[in-house]
Amino acid sequence: YTVSGIAPCPNQSATVTIIIVPQPNPGTDGAITLCSNSPSVDLFTLLGGSPDVGGTWSPALASGTGLFNPAVDTAAVYTYTLTGTAPCPDETSTVTVTVNPLPDAGIDAVETLCQNNTPIDLFTLLGGTPDAGGTWSPALASGTGIFDPAVDTAGTYTYTVSGIAPCPNQSATVTITIIAQPNPGTNGAVTLCNTSEPIDLFTVLGGTPDVGGTWSPALLSGTSDFIPGFDSEGVYTYTLPGNSNCPDVFATVTVTINEEPFAGTNTTIVICNTSPTIDLYTQLGGNPDTGGAPDTGGVWVPPLSGGNGIFDPAVDPAGVYTYIVAGIAPCPDAS
């Protein structure tokens, strides 16, 4: 600035020096969404514009710098501050960080089931702490995660939990093996005579039973052969031992024993035609049965004039009279 002097005074001048301090540039606000397992990211690179370096971040990050690690740092709004040189004020910008959790599908599992096991929820077989709400593939007959050994196929089933971007989907598997249930056949029953030939109880079982089981109570033969007259009638149980996850299975055979009737032993009598009537039953040897099936007594043939077994010498002819006691099947009649 110059002021003209009046002669002989010289002109006089002074100067004003202007210094312009640049305003710090923190860039423009930014934002990012990460997964909990994403790699670390430098928040400075998320600022818009052309931010100046050298600022500070708050709240402080675990790295001590602007490096955000989703595994240890918390989702939040992080402020980048550049200190201004007077008279310029400090300048700030922000980066908003969102962290989505990585889904947890659990840990792979292997399970062996029996063919007749009750349905099971595959989700309960996964290890760890899997998130609910996932899907199973291939699809199960139930339309859910319930596996039914009777209708679903053995194999590997994949459980998938959808991730929220940028988190990827996560999956775990359950491998199912199905063991065939032993087949003891179906219950049977047989009626024998006490004089019948031995019978293999295995042949009395229904269906197509597997061999290799055991019988209880034990039979005299030590096998499955039932010997009438030695083994007692009753219920005999055929048991097949189970295998992994399969219980023992059994079927029964009910044996009924009917006694073969006894008609006594043959005898011969000689009587006078003037003798009184005689009950032929009393003439039989041994201890003949009096009953049949039902207990109505034996019958004599040919018929006698005095009724069943009563021989009258005055009217009945001499001859052979047969006493017949009816057997209860499968026992034959005795005479």
Side-chain angles (χ1 to χ4, degrees):
Y1 179 70
T2 302
V3 179
S4 300
I6 301 172
C9 294
N11 294 340
Q12 297 293 309
S13 62
T15 61
V16 175
T17 301
I18 301 296
I19 299 173
I20 297 178
V21 178
Q23 176 72 33
N25 178 15
T28 58
D29 295 344
I32 190 172
T33 300
L34 302 172
C35 188
S36 58
N37 73 333
S38 294
S40 297
V41 62
D42 187 349
L43 296 186
F44 185 82
T45 63
L46 303 177
L47 294 169
S50 304
D52 298 335
V53 297
T56 58
W57 289 94
S58 62
L61 295 159
S63 63
T65 66
L67 197 64
F68 181 93
N69 183 351
V72 293
D73 293 312
T74 306
V77 176
Y78 289 86
T79 301
Y80 181 65
T81 301
L82 285 168
T83 302
T85 302
C88 293
D90 295 347
E91 295 292 336
T92 63
S93 59
T94 62
V95 173
T96 301
V97 180
T98 302
V99 178
N100 289 330
L102 180 70
D104 184 359
I107 301 171
D108 295 348
V110 175
E111 184 72 11
T112 299
L113 300 175
C114 190
Q115 196 172 30
N116 71 338
N117 281 156
T118 57
I120 187 172
D121 188 348
L122 296 185
F123 184 83
T124 63
L125 301 179
L126 292 168
T129 54
D131 298 333
T135 57
W136 289 94
S137 62
L140 296 159
S142 63
T144 65
I146 304 300
F147 182 94
D148 186 349
V151 293
D152 293 311
T153 307
T156 298
Y157 291 83
T158 301
Y159 180 67
T160 301
V161 181
S162 298
I164 302 173
C167 294
N169 296 344
Q170 295 293 301
S171 62
T173 62
V174 175
T175 300
I176 299 293
T177 301
I178 297 178
I179 295 178
Q181 172 72 40
N183 178 15
T186 57
N187 296 342
V190 65
T191 299
L192 304 173
C193 190
N194 65 322
T195 57
S196 296
E197 293 296 318
I199 184 173
D200 185 350
L201 295 187
F202 186 83
T203 64
V204 182
L205 293 168
T208 53
D210 298 332
V211 298
T214 57
W215 290 92
S216 61
L219 295 159
L220 180 66
S221 64
T223 66
S224 57
D225 287 338
F226 181 96
I227 305 175
F230 293 93
D231 292 310
S232 301
E233 68 176 3
V235 177
Y236 289 83
T237 301
Y238 180 66
T239 301
L240 284 168
N243 40 43
S244 178
N245 288 331
C246 290
D248 293 350
V249 288
F250 62 89
T252 62
V253 171
T254 301
V255 180
T256 301
I257 299 293
N258 289 331
E259 293 292 322
E260 184 175 36
F262 178 58
T265 58
N266 298 336
T267 189
T268 300
I269 59 172
V270 177
I271 57 176
C272 182
N273 65 343
T274 58
S275 296
T277 60
I278 187 173
D279 186 350
L280 296 184
Y281 176 83
T282 63
Q283 303 302 307
L284 293 168
N287 186 25
D289 296 335
T290 60
D295 188 11
T296 56
V299 285
W300 289 90
V301 291
L304 295 159
S305 62
N308 191 27
I310 305 302
F311 183 88
D312 186 347
V315 294
D316 293 314
V320 176
Y321 290 85
T322 303
Y323 179 64
I324 301 173
V325 181
I328 304 174
C331 296
D333 296 345
S335 62

